[in-house]
């Protein structure tokens, strides 16, 4: 491991006519593509007049004391951090907002040439290797990133990110902004949705994250079922321990999981389902008229596991409880609850007032508001019909996908087919759904470029949502940036939501394909500027400890770096030796990083101040190999070298 893994202490469209035309065209297109019937999406009388689209950088409420400017002065720091999924690069992007400047990338699932991720022994131990020492996986597909909570707000301890391809979850330490643990989930494929709990429901004194919930999209054969019998395929909902990163339990379910959400009291987790049919083919997935938002009663599940009411599957020892519909008909003993929602929802999000989960319809032009207190009433036998937990199901536009919040009662939902962001008031929507047709729940609309997907706002899914900035990821950019061949950049747009009207402030091109992200205040994180030397068991603490030791054909080379020199100006090994090189950076100065590369041996990595890393390789090529510092560190950087002499 790169350092000790001691748990961190908790600390609108341009005109009124445009929406109608767009709705008509996209409804026809969607019906043709999906092969399903959609109701006509006429303009609702409750919709407020649409706002005119604003060009990036246009004057707005931000220029008059609103959210602020995106153009920071030289030396001026951003007020927010943003944690973005890297998509197929398998890493996490760290941005400063509102500037949108990329600060770093944190490698997780895929090798990274800058830091030597996937090259050093420490990173390989985190990533996982095969018996021959090679990496188990070298591809990834990251989608969702979330951070740990305390008292309903981010606490700056951890962040997590998923790898959909290989069903892995990575943990990021936010004191160093590095990945320290990766866990591969058993019994699942297509791990997509991810969300940490916001407090432990078992012990009220534990008001911080203890678990991370993970949903699997794809049903797979269970032991004892045929590989071709897709009707018997099943999906799982998994719980991972936030500290140990071990899988605590899993829930066998009907249908699949898409995204995930957790309640603020720690009692409920949920996933939206777009395939209640558990279909293996497109037409099978579209046969039902409605899908579901599936709720998990966390305390009951953990009590069942503690009581031994579980089974294990295959070679995995993880407890698996039964969350299927058939086994959970009695609400007083049920572990799960399936709330019926319109077909193909995409996204479920928790409102900052702690009252609601909102599912966006995707193929339905609606958002569904589910009251969490009523879901708990159903579990307690106080609510006869579970569908009564739905307190609003209102039309917002075509292709609703994801929802963010401003902490003032408003929700912001992306409309993929309308290429819009719609701002709507949740309580007004509930009144409209209850029969008050004078309730104006749509507040504003903003045209986006183009086909927006994920959306998040500053502190959005916390009790301290501040309604300043909102970012949205658009899947297509088309004419927004200089063309660079057939593969276009995607477009991430920054929007000022501090006033009544939304104002588009900036476009940022981004290499595909990022997905979800979170935005939080900079003061919530206190990153360390240098490492602690004692955190590395194999650290070379003094240059005098440098040298070469041999144990048969295994050779250990201990070396330190301190600008502008390595402690060993040369070292000798023999052809065929298995060499383990341990390098410690003894510089204590902030931002003084060194690199170490050996030509022809596929070795290049960096060590930050007081950090230690190691590599192991076979010295199979005789000759002289100039090892040099690859990270500019000093006026004599070019002179910072060592020689590896491999004797024949």
């Amino acid at each position: 491991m790169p350092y000790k893994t001691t748990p961190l202490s908790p600390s609108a469209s341009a005109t009124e006519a445009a929406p109608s035309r767009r709705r008509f065209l996209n409804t026809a297109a969607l019906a043709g593509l999906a092969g399903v019937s959609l109701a006509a999406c006429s303009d609702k009388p409750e919709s407020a007049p649409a706002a005119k689209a604003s060009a990036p950088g246009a004057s707005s409420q931000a220029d008059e004391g609103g959210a602020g400017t995106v153009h920071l002065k030289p030396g001026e720091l951003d007020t927010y951090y943003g944690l973005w999924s890297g998509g197929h690069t398998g890493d996490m992007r760290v941005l400063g907002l509102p500037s949108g400047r990329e600060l770093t990338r944190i490698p997780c699932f895929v090798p990274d040439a800058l830091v030597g991720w996937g090259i050093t022994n420490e990173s390989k131990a985190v990533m996982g290797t095969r018996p021959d020492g090679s990496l188990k996986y070298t591809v990834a597909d990251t989608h969702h990133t979330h951070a740990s909570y305390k008292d309903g707000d981010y606490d700056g301890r951890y962040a997590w990110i998923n790898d959909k391809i290989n069903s892995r979850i990575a943990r990021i330490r936010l004191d160093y902004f590095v990945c320290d643990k990766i866990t591969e989930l058993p019994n699942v494929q297509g791990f997509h949705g991810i969300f940490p709990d916001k407090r432990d429901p078992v012990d009220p004194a534990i008001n911080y994250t203890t678990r991370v919930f993970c949903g699997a999209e794809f049903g797979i054969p269970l032991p004892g079922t045929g590989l071709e019998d897709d009707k018997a395929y099943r999906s799982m909902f998994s719980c991972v321990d936030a500290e140990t990163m071990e899988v605590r339990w899993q829930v066998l379910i009907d249908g699949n999981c898409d995204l995930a959400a957790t309640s603020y009291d720690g009692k409920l987790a949920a996933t939206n389902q777009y395939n209640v049919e558990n279909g293996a083919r497109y037409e099978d997935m579209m046969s039902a008229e409605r899908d579901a938002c599936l709720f998990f009663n966390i305390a009951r599940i953990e009590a069942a596991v503690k009581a031994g009411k579980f089974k294990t599957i295959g070679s995995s020892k993880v407890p698996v409880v039964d969350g299927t519909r058939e086994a959970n008909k009695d609400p007083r003993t049920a572990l799960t609850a399936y709330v019926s929602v319109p077909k193909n929802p995409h996204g479920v999000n928790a409102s900052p007032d702690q009252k609601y989960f909102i599912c966006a319809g995707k193929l339905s032009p609606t958002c569904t508001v589910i009251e969490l207190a009523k879901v708990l009433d159903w579990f307690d036998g106080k609510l006869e019909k579970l569908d009564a937990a739905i307190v609003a199901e209102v039309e917002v536009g075509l292709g609703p996908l994801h929802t963010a919040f401003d902490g003032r009662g408003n929700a912001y939902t992306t409309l993929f087919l309308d290429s819009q962001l719609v701002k709507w008031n949740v309580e007004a929507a509930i009144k409209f759904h209850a029969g008050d047709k004078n309730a104006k729940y749509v507040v504003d609309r903003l045209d986006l470029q183009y086909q927006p997907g994920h959306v998040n706002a500053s502190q959005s899914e916390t009790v301290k949502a501040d309604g300043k900035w909102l970012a949205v990821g658009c899947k297509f950019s088309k004419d927004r940036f200089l063309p660079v061949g057939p593969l276009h950049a995607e477009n991430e747009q920054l929007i000022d939501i501090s006033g009544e009207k939304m104002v588009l402030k900036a476009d940022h091109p981004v290499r595909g394909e990022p997905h979800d992200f979170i935005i939080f205040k900079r003061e919530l994180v206190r990153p360390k500027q240098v490492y602690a030397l004692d955190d590395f068991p194999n650290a070379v603490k003094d240059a005098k400890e440098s040298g070469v030791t041999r144990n048969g054909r295994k050779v250990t080379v201990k070396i330190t770096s301190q600008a502008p020199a390595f402690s060993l100006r040369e070292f000798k090994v023999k052809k065929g030796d298995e060499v383990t090189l341990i390098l410690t950076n003894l510089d204590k100065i902030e931002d003084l990083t060194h690199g170490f590369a050996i030509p022809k041996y596929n070795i290049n990595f960096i060590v930050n101040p007081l950090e230690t890393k190691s590599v192991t390789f076979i010295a199979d090529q005789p000759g002289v190999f100039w090892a040099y510092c690859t990270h500019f560190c000093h006026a004599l950087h070019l002179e910072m070298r060592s020689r590896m002499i491999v004797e024949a």
Side-chain angles (χ1 to χ4, degrees):
M1 303 301 292
Y3 40 73
K4 294 178 183 177
T5 54
T6 304
L8 301 180
S9 58
S11 45
S13 54
T15 66
E16 274 298 288
S20 299
R21 178 176 178 274
R22 182 184 288 110
R23 286 182 179 184
F24 172 78
L25 293 174
N26 283 325
T27 302
L30 181 61
L33 287 171
V36 296
S37 172
L38 291 180
C41 301
S42 59
D43 286 325
K44 287 286 185 180
E46 75 277 9
S47 299
K52 293 184 178 181
S54 300
S59 61
S60 70
Q61 66 264 6
D63 301 319
E64 301 169 358
T69 177
V70 300
H71 303 291
L72 302 184
K73 299 175 182 177
E76 187 176 359
L77 299 181
D78 283 289
T79 50
Y80 297 89
Y81 282 101
L83 301 183
W84 256 251
S85 72
H88 305 302
T89 57
D91 55 19
M92 180 185 288
R93 294 192 294 148
V94 182
L95 306 186
L97 292 172
S99 72
R101 298 177 296 199
E102 184 174 303
L103 305 176
T104 190
R105 292 196 172 210
I106 305 170
C108 301
F109 302 113
V110 174
D112 180 89
L114 169 65
V115 302
W117 192 254
I119 299 295
T120 64
N121 295 327
E122 293 77 15
S123 61
K124 285 183 175 182
V126 174
M127 296 177 74
T129 57
R130 301 182 186 278
D132 65 358
S134 63
L135 292 176
K136 188 175 182 181
Y137 304 112
T138 56
V139 297
D141 180 19
T142 61
H143 281 238
H144 300 283
T145 177
H146 292 285
S148 56
Y149 286 80
K150 182 178 181 181
D151 293 324
D153 193 8
Y154 297 125
D155 63 6
R157 291 186 300 143
Y158 300 123
W160 291 271
I161 191 167
N162 74 307
D163 167 23
K164 181 174 177 177
I165 296 177
N166 297 308
S167 299
R168 295 177 291 175
I169 177 173
R171 184 178 72 184
I172 309 299
R173 284 184 59 153
L174 292 179
D175 55 350
Y176 288 123
F177 278 77
V178 296
C179 174
D180 77 325
K181 290 272 192 178
I182 293 178
T183 299
E184 184 174 347
L185 306 180
N187 306 320
V188 303
Q189 285 185 24
F191 161 36
H192 190 202
I194 176 177
F195 215 103
D197 63 12
K198 300 181 178 75
R199 57 171 45 89
D200 192 318
V202 177
D203 184 351
I206 302 177
N207 56 1
Y208 56 89
T209 295
T210 60
R211 289 167 294 267
V212 186
F213 300 106
C214 311
E217 270 191 81
F218 308 146
I220 60 175
L222 300 179
T225 62
L227 300 182
E228 301 295 332
D229 184 14
D230 53 59
K231 298 299 182 184
Y233 291 2
R234 284 294 179 270
S235 296
M236 298 274 188
F237 188 78
S238 304
C239 172
V240 174
D241 189 284
E243 299 295 348
T244 67
M245 287 292 286
E246 295 178 354
V247 182
R248 292 171 60 160
W249 44 260
Q250 294 182 305
V251 184
L252 183 73
I253 63 172
D254 290 324
N256 71 341
C257 303
D258 186 17
L259 304 189
T262 60
S263 62
Y264 284 85
D265 58 8
K267 295 180 179 180
L268 296 171
T271 180
N272 62 300
Q273 296 184 288
Y274 66 82
N275 181 20
V276 295
E277 306 92 335
N278 203 39
R281 298 170 181 82
Y282 165 78
E283 58 271 23
D284 299 328
M285 299 179 191
M286 300 300 296
S287 61
E289 292 187 5
R290 290 174 71 86
D291 278 306
C293 182
L294 171 54
F295 285 85
F296 300 86
N297 189 312
I298 300 171
R300 286 188 186 177
I301 292 171
E302 300 214 323
V305 171
K306 186 176 181 179
K309 298 177 180 179
F310 63 84
K311 62 181 179 180
T312 59
I313 295 179
S315 61
S316 170
K317 302 302 181 184
V318 174
V320 178
V321 299
D322 191 343
T324 60
R325 291 175 184 266
E326 183 64 29
N328 291 272
K329 291 182 177 179
D330 185 349
R332 292 166 298 181
T333 59
L335 308 180
T336 58
Y338 294 76
V339 177
S340 177
V341 299
K343 190 65 182 167
N344 283 71
H346 191 66
V348 55
N349 300 96
S351 61
D353 61 9
Q354 311 179 46
K355 295 180 180 179
Y356 309 110
F357 280 2
I358 296 176
C359 285
K362 194 169 76 169
L363 293 191
S364 170
T366 59
C367 282
T368 302
V369 182
I370 301 172
E371 187 173 344
L372 302 183
K374 292 187 176 182
V375 175
L376 291 171
D377 284 345
W378 182 84
F379 276 116
D380 291 338
K382 300 176 183 177
L383 188 70
E384 183 177 351
K385 293 184 178 180
L386 186 55
D387 288 350
I390 296 176
V391 293
E393 195 170 283
V394 292
E395 180 182 336
V396 294
L398 283 183
L401 293 187
H402 300 278
T403 301
F405 306 93
D406 62 9
R408 300 188 295 269
N410 299 310
Y412 299 75
T413 300
T414 51
L415 305 177
F416 184 81
L417 295 178
D418 273 342
S419 283
Q420 283 189 336
L421 182 69
V422 56
K423 175 182 178 180
W424 55 284
N425 185 271
V426 177
E427 293 298 336
I430 293 173
K431 292 179 181 178
F432 181 86
H433 182 80
D436 182 0
K437 301 308 176 183
N438 293 319
K440 307 291 185 181
Y441 63 87
V442 173
V443 179
D444 193 19
R445 295 182 185 273
L446 182 68
D447 286 336
L448 301 173
Q449 287 79 29
Y450 303 89
Q451 275 66 57
H454 283 286
V455 64
N456 215 313
S458 48
Q459 298 280 142
S460 176
E461 289 189 78
T462 75
V463 294
K464 295 184 179 179
D466 63 12
K468 297 291 186 180
W469 294 104
L470 178 144
V472 61
C474 299
K475 294 303 179 185
F476 300 96
S477 63
K478 300 182 186 294
D479 53 1
R480 304 299 285 184
F481 311 113
L482 288 174
V484 287
L487 180 61
H488 288 241
E490 296 188 13
N491 186 13
E492 292 181 340
Q493 299 189 291
L494 187 68
I495 298 164
D496 179 352
I497 60 170
S498 62
E500 191 74 2
K501 296 294 183 182
M502 299 178 287
V503 179
L504 177 61
K505 298 295 290 184
D507 286 354
H508 292 284
V510 60
R511 187 184 185 200
E513 185 191 40
H515 288 268
D516 205 9
F517 47 88
I518 60 172
I519 303 168
F520 55 89
K521 293 180 178 179
R522 72 183 187 196
E523 57 264 27
L524 295 177
V525 178
R526 300 286 183 182
K528 297 179 180 178
Q529 301 303 304
V530 299
Y531 281 91
L533 194 61
D534 289 338
D535 281 351
F536 301 92
N538 60 342
V540 186
K541 297 184 177 181
D542 191 310
K544 295 177 181 178
E545 300 175 13
S546 304
V548 179
T549 58
R550 176 177 293 276
N551 182 9
R553 297 311 303 268
K554 293 186 177 182
V555 175
T556 300
V557 179
K558 293 185 177 182
I559 187 171
T560 64
S561 60
Q562 199 162 15
F566 294 112
S567 58
L568 294 181
R569 307 306 170 86
E570 66 181 37
F571 57 93
K572 294 180 180 180
V573 298
K574 298 182 183 297
K575 182 181 178 182
D577 284 347
E578 179 186 284
V579 180
T580 296
L581 186 145
I582 303 171
L583 174 63
T584 298
N585 181 354
L586 292 182
D587 280 308
K588 303 177 182 179
I589 301 172
E590 174 185 347
D591 202 19
L592 187 46
T593 295
H594 295 297
F596 193 87
I598 303 178
K600 311 300 182 182
Y601 275 90
N602 200 35
I603 291 173
N604 181 29
F605 62 96
I606 63 171
V607 280
N608 293 293
L610 299 184
E611 184 181 24
T612 298
K613 289 180 181 175
S614 66
V615 291
T616 299
F617 59 96
I618 302 298
D620 56 1
Q621 303 175 65
V624 173
F625 303 90
W626 284 101
Y628 66 99
C629 179
T630 55
H631 212 79
F632 198 95
C633 58
H634 190 273
L636 295 177
H637 165 70
L638 294 179
E639 289 77 15
M640 190 170 178
R641 305 187 207 169
S642 179
R643 278 187 299 170
M644 181 176 74
I645 301 173
V646 181
E647 298 175 335

